[in-house]
Amino acid sequence: IGFELDVEGDEGIESIDGSGHYCTDDYVELHANVKPGHVFVGWYDGDGKLLCATAHFDFLAYNAPIFAKTVKGAMLDLLRMDGIMTTTSRTVPLGEPCTLSVEESGCRFLGWYTPEGDLVSASREYTFTPTADVRLIARSDSTWFEGSERLEWKLSGDYSDDVTVTLKDKYSRYFINRYTGVTSGTADLIPGTYEIVAEGTLEDGTRSTETKTYEIEGDISRRYCWMFGDSPEHIEWTVKYSEYSKFRDSDIDRSPAEEDRLRFTDYTSDGIRSLAGILLQKTAGMTDLECADYVLKFVQRCTEYQDDKKTYDRSEYWKFPLETIVERGGDCEDTSILFCSIMKAMGFETALLVYEPWKYDEGHMAGSVALDQGAGSFYTRNGLKFYYCETTSDNLYVGDDGGMEEYDEATILVLGENDKQLQ
């Protein structure tokens, strides 16, 4: 007969996925969607005992009440300059100590500053207790974005003198400069895509926020910073704008049929081959497994997850590797294609692992690399062991599938088989 799972949330819970009718010992997956300004605390039973401290809760169904609880939070809005790695922006509990940390990677950390330019702390580890939302900038001595190309920007709105304007690199979100009380200006920069974000009061008294994007054409230079174990790593790489735009502007179907999926794997272009060459130098002397882990961490931590629906207003939008790494982001298929393409260009056998959406509630893609000596999850193809590589998690290594019990069968697409790359 079964029962309705008794699930409730407090005022900080927007909604709960997974509630409904169950029989005893059915598999249940609950997920709490938290309102902005709140922090999830945990799932509790009727006696107040903590059952799970994460918003996603898996268990076998039983007929008893379950409560999702939150606390009020403060938003940490953190910007950083190039050449350092910092704690990410997030919501933290109000009134509880919070620690911000910095790792230097190619540049020297100068301190935590307010948007107004006041130094808050010069310590690489800064602990404080937030009582309201906090905005801070982690400054470095980087001059990476300084160049000979002139960017001229101008706001559309008729702002009063309280307007503040932030100049950022669009894809990395690195902070470059800040302007106050002006509605136009110039900056000398390297080629790239930049974003101007203005906040202030219009002459009619209304508050306004304005975002404008500017593109400076020319060879695209990138610096990537990430952690490999306890070691801060960074590389510098340049790709021709014409090569990147060829892929970006391609008229290829971005929701490809099964037979066209491997067309997105680009491991022969000059850009990917030069990136692979840099990574080969960085991994010289490593074992094959260490090399694969190094490249996997590079892909995981130098790209941000981007939802196709939010970014492109499409349910699917596959990207080429050069698009993903230049734009520093993509979803599971984009970062998996990037990882496999780089590793293939480095001389490894690689394969895409496709978990078909018609077979599973949610489709997924991961990368894989063939290794003689590995550990963890793998698929066998052509006598080779292709070890699972999850590109959307910062914490998983080669062979670690994160306990994905819901996925078992994958379509294995080996790069180089029936090659159909974009020419």
Side-chain angles (χ1 to χ4, degrees):
I1 298 176
F3 54 87
E4 287 295 319
L5 195 64
D6 186 1
V7 182
E8 296 183 24
D10 63 18
E11 70 279 359
I13 300 295
E14 185 76 50
S15 61
I16 296 175
D17 300 330
S19 59
H21 192 85
Y22 291 91
C23 294
T24 300
D25 288 342
D26 281 349
Y27 182 68
V28 180
E29 289 185 84
L30 294 180
H31 185 82
N33 301 299
V34 182
K35 293 179 181 177
H38 292 78
V39 179
F40 185 77
V41 175
W43 300 94
Y44 292 81
D45 66 15
D47 297 324
K49 178 184 176 181
L50 178 65
L51 302 173
C52 177
T54 62
H56 194 88
F57 181 25
D58 301 344
F59 60 99
L60 297 179
Y62 60 95
N63 194 3
I66 300 172
F67 302 91
K69 296 184 179 181
T70 63
V71 295
K72 289 280 189 179
M75 178 61 192
L76 299 184
D77 184 10
L78 306 176
L79 288 174
R80 60 174 168 143
M81 293 185 70
D82 181 61
I84 51 177
M85 292 170 286
T86 68
T87 307
T88 57
S89 296
R90 65 192 190 281
T91 303
V92 297
L94 276 172
E96 295 186 15
C98 170
T99 298
L100 308 180
S101 60
V102 169
E103 290 285 349
E104 296 177 343
S105 183
C107 290
R108 184 170 62 91
F109 175 64
L110 300 180
W112 295 98
Y113 285 78
T114 67
E116 292 72 33
D118 299 322
L119 176 64
V120 174
S121 173
S123 174
R124 292 202 303 180
E125 191 168 282
Y126 169 47
T127 300
F128 68 104
T129 302
T131 57
D133 291 348
V134 176
R135 303 182 74 182
L136 291 174
I137 300 167
R139 290 185 176 271
S140 72
D141 63 356
S142 172
T143 58
W144 177 250
F145 291 102
E146 293 180 8
S148 58
E149 302 296 326
R150 176 64 57 91
L151 169 66
E152 297 183 357
W153 59 268
K154 183 177 177 60
L155 302 182
S156 303
D158 188 13
Y159 289 88
S160 58
D161 290 342
D162 73 344
V163 66
T164 60
V165 180
T166 303
L167 172 62
K168 307 175 190 176
D169 176 66
K170 178 176 173 62
Y171 297 117
S172 68
R173 315 300 298 166
Y174 285 145
F175 172 87
I176 299 172
N177 208 343
R178 191 171 184 274
Y179 312 88
T180 58
V182 295
T183 57
S184 64
T186 61
D188 294 324
L189 301 166
I190 62 173
T193 307
Y194 299 95
E195 198 171 70
I196 288 285
V197 181
E199 296 178 83
T201 306
L202 298 175
E203 292 295 348
D204 64 6
T206 60
R207 293 290 295 176
S208 177
T209 300
E210 180 180 329
T211 300
K212 302 186 77 171
T213 298
Y214 296 86
E215 188 165 292
I216 299 176
E217 294 190 11
D219 289 353
I220 302 169
S221 295
R222 287 285 185 265
R223 176 188 280 164
Y224 301 98
C225 304
W226 74 101
M227 293 296 294
F228 182 61
D230 296 328
S231 173
E233 301 286 333
H234 75 276
I235 63 170
E236 296 176 5
W237 168 72
T238 299
V239 62
K240 290 186 178 298
Y241 180 87
S242 59
E243 187 175 20
Y244 159 68
S245 62
K246 178 187 75 171
F247 291 104
R248 183 196 62 188
D249 300 335
S250 168
D251 60 1
I252 193 172
D253 184 356
R254 296 291 181 155
S255 181
E258 187 170 341
E259 63 270 17
D260 290 329
R261 290 167 171 171
L262 284 175
R263 290 188 66 192
F264 284 86
T265 59
D266 155 39
Y267 51 87
T268 60
S269 69
D270 290 342
I272 291 298
R273 290 173 65 184
S274 68
L275 179 58
I278 294 169
L279 291 169
L280 277 171
Q281 291 180 353
K282 297 286 284 187
T283 56
M286 293 185 183
T287 66
D288 286 351
L289 176 58
E290 290 169 338
C291 176
D293 275 328
Y294 187 92
V295 177
L296 184 59
K297 281 286 162 280
F298 164 72
V299 171
Q300 290 171 341
R301 297 181 175 179
C302 295
T303 61
E304 296 291 333
Y305 186 86
Q306 295 174 350
D307 183 85
D308 287 341
K309 189 65 177 175
K310 293 179 180 178
T311 307
Y312 300 103
D313 196 26
R314 294 173 60 172
S315 58
E316 284 292 342
Y317 189 92
W318 287 38
K319 297 204 292 190
F320 291 94
L322 276 180
E323 293 179 276
T324 302
I325 193 59
V326 167
E327 298 168 9
R328 303 180 191 256
D331 62 5
C332 62
E333 73 267 8
D334 304 321
T335 50
S336 297
I337 290 169
L338 172 63
F339 171 76
C340 288
S341 297
I342 293 173
M343 292 298 294
K344 178 70 172 176
M346 293 173 69
F348 290 80
E349 292 299 319
T350 64
L352 300 174
L353 305 177
V354 185
Y355 300 90
E356 305 288 1
W358 51 262
K359 181 175 176 60
Y360 301 97
D361 289 339
E362 262 189 70
H364 184 55
M365 187 187 289
S368 69
V369 59
L371 298 171
D372 291 333
Q373 294 184 348
S377 298
F378 65 87
Y379 293 81
T380 301
R381 181 69 176 268
N382 302 333
L384 300 175
K385 291 182 178 180
F386 287 89
Y387 285 86
Y388 185 96
C389 297
E390 179 57 60
T391 57
T392 63
S393 168
D394 286 359
N395 301 314
L396 300 183
Y397 288 81
V398 173
D400 187 353
D401 63 9
M404 295 197 314
E405 292 87 356
E406 68 270 32
Y407 297 112
D408 50 11
E409 295 182 15
T411 299
I412 304 169
L413 302 177
V414 178
L415 274 66
E417 282 191 349
N418 306 314
D419 238 346
K420 286 198 266 181
Q421 290 185 287
L422 180 69
Q423 300 299 321

